[in-house]
Amino acid sequence: MSQPFRTLLVGLGARGRVWARLLNEEPRVTIAGFVDQAEERLAAIRHAYRVPTGACFTDLGDALGAVRPDLVMLATPPMGRSEDALRVLEHGAHLLCEKPLALDLGDAVRIVEAAEQAGRALAVGVNFRYQHCVTRARAIVRSGEIGRPAFSRYVYWRNRDGYRPGLNRYPLTMRQPMLYEQSIHHFDQLRFVYDAEVTRVSCRCHNPSWSMYRDDATVSAVLELSGGILVTYIGTWSAQTKMTDFEWRTDFDRGALVQRQMFSDLSIARGSGAERVEPLPLPAQEQLVDDARLLLAHVAAQLAAGTLRPHPSGLDHLKTLGVVAACEESHHTGQAILMEDFYARHNVPDRWLAWRETGRPER
Ligand SMILES: NC(=O)c1ccc[n+]([C@@H]2O[C@H](COP(=O)([O-])OP(=O)(O)OC[C@H]3O[C@@H](n4cnc5c(N)ncnc54)[C@H](O)[C@@H]3O)[C@@H](O)[C@H]2O)c1
């Protein structure tokens, strides 16, 4: 095996601490330094991982100059992310960035452009793709065993306590928190599982009177995907009760797939007119950790093989972030958005849109 990638972890909040654990466990990388604006977070990591003081920084620029990492894991909040991402790429490091790549599609395009020009890898942490139920659903779609997906309902109905200790605070006050922080994972899953691209969106966002979020915590959207797939989506963090509802049901030419828990409970109905579903048993996963572990292992393996657009790539992420941004615009204008026009208005090159990832994980 080649030398492990010397990695700088930036952001030691709720998510960064998970990444610290995963980077520490992944044999193809070694943690060369930590960055956080908050001294107490650096002190806690020094204590947990016995890191020398000289490997801890409060400023990204200082850390890049001192550590000269091969890879940077950016796990800061998305505000101000584009400046940090561009700085990392200017320093010649590969970048693995948490989602969303940016809060503005134009900024995300500039980051992808910078990575392409620098010949550096850019991957995005859309770890939901690595949940077993998601890779299994994708494999069923690709096998064609129950035909092609035709239409679906995606329901994510949750009361998320944004003040819960240990949870990030910034979604309470950011623009469109549900869309940019949560629905982005769901839209990415839809594209990934159906192996299809969103062609048209229509969306309304909403914030109930009791919401603890300053901006909309509910997203209601209709998405049309290539191959004629129609998706009705509703996602909320502002459910009135603590009873979480999740259901992602897709009807196919000759059956259906139904997922009834956020991270598990996938079942299949075979044949048109089927009267029951059969469970599809899958190994258990630690939520939001084991999927990210698989993502990291996959990205590290691709970097070791010299792949410059490792899956899940920044390039591919533009088409998930694009759907999020188009939903926001549709909400404001009250108009349906044709994605082709939307990408043209945001200067996303056609050759990037035409590019398809290969070597994606399958079960
Ligand atoms: N993929 C997932 O499943 C998942 C889950 C949770 C969070 N996230 C993502 O991870 C990212 C971070 O979220 P979080 O929950 O850890 O947030 P957080 O607020 O808990 O932590 C952010 C940390 O970054 C530090 N920070 C902020 N700006 C910085 C800067 N410019 N330089 C250095 N340090 C800085 C803060 O001091 C804080 O310690 C977000 O993009 C979020 O969407 C992803």
Side-chain angles (χ1 to χ4, degrees), residues 32 42 46 78-79 85 138 166 241 249 270 275 285 290 344 348:
L42 289 168
R46 268 200 299 271
M79 305 83 195
R138 176 175 158 88
T241 70
R249 171 175 171 150
R270 294 177 200 277
E275 293 193 354
Q285 282 179 305
D290 285 336
V348 182

Side-chain angles (χ1 to χ4, degrees), residues 123-142:
V124 178
V126 279
N127 47 303
F128 283 32
R129 289 184 181 196
Y130 291 76
Q131 291 166 8
H132 293 326
C133 44
V134 170
T135 46
R136 184 68 195 272
R138 176 175 158 88
I140 288 168
V141 170
R142 284 168 75 89

Side-chain angles (χ1 to χ4, degrees), residues 6-22:
R6 297 178 63 261
T7 303
L8 183 69
L9 172 59
V10 189
L12 300 172
R15 192 63 183 159
R17 290 193 293 276
V18 172
W19 282 114
R21 176 178 153 198
L22 298 177

Side-chain angles (χ1 to χ4, degrees), residues 285-301:
Q285 282 179 305
E286 186 182 352
Q287 292 179 9
L288 307 180
V289 174
D290 285 336
D291 51 0
R293 177 182 285 105
L294 291 173
L295 180 148
L296 176 63
H298 191 211
V299 168

Side-chain angles (χ1 to χ4, degrees), residues 10-16 35-38 41 58 75-78 81 84 98-100 125 127-128 167-170 181 185 288:
V10 189
L12 300 172
R15 192 63 183 159
V35 185
D36 200 291
Q37 286 173 338
R41 296 235 151 126
T58 52
T76 48
R81 175 161 292 158
D84 287 346
E98 262 299 349
K99 47 48 72 168
N127 47 303
F128 283 32
L167 206 61
N168 51 29
R169 291 282 179 275
Y170 66 85
E181 286 287 305
H185 275 305
L288 307 180

